[in-house]
């Protein structure tokens, strides 16, 4: 199962909501949280655009960013969206 990367920041309600929804998937997808405020390069790249969801890459680039996830997606709809994005 591919690991998901969630670029986030503390106090972001959208980030917390997406983290909760991803954690509720059955089976749960491996998830790594990355606080953009701990790295000036990440902070400059993402600014206030969090949450950003990405897939950890096995070769080449370190990760592949996914399109923005609708905050309305949850459960089976979120799982279907991930599959559509090529996340297995």
């Amino acid at each position: 199962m591919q690991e998901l990367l969630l670029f986030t920041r503390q106090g972001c309600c959208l980030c917390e909501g997406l983290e909760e929804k991803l954690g509720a998937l059955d089976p749960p997808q491996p998830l790594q949280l990355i606080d953009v405020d701990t790295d000036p390069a990440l902070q400059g790249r993402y600014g206030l655009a969090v949450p950003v969801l990405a897939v950890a890459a096995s070769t080449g680039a370190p990760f592949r960013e996914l399109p923005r996830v609708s905050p309305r997606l949850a459960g089976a709809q979120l799982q279907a969206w991930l599959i559509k994005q090529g996340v297995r």
Side-chain angles (χ1 to χ4, degrees):
M1 196 172 268
Q2 291 175 295
E3 180 181 37
L4 293 174
L5 309 175
L6 180 58
F7 293 89
T8 184
R9 68 172 18 104
Q10 290 185 3
C12 171
C13 62
L14 291 174
C15 300
E16 293 166 357
L18 183 54
E19 178 186 357
E20 183 178 310
K21 291 172 186 177
L22 290 168
L25 293 176
D26 186 26
Q29 196 80 26
L31 181 64
Q32 178 183 355
L33 301 177
I34 301 170
D35 187 342
V36 299
D37 292 327
T38 62
D39 182 330
L42 291 176
Q43 191 176 40
R45 180 173 181 172
Y46 296 111
L48 298 176
V50 293
V52 173
L53 191 60
V55 178
S58 55
T59 60
F63 58 87
R64 174 178 59 92
E65 286 184 26
L66 299 175
R68 182 163 292 282
V69 181
S70 169
R72 295 182 179 151
L73 292 182
Q77 290 178 323
L78 179 57
Q79 187 69 51
W81 182 88
L82 287 168
I83 291 168
K84 184 178 178 183
Q85 302 307 317
V87 178
R88 305 266 186 240

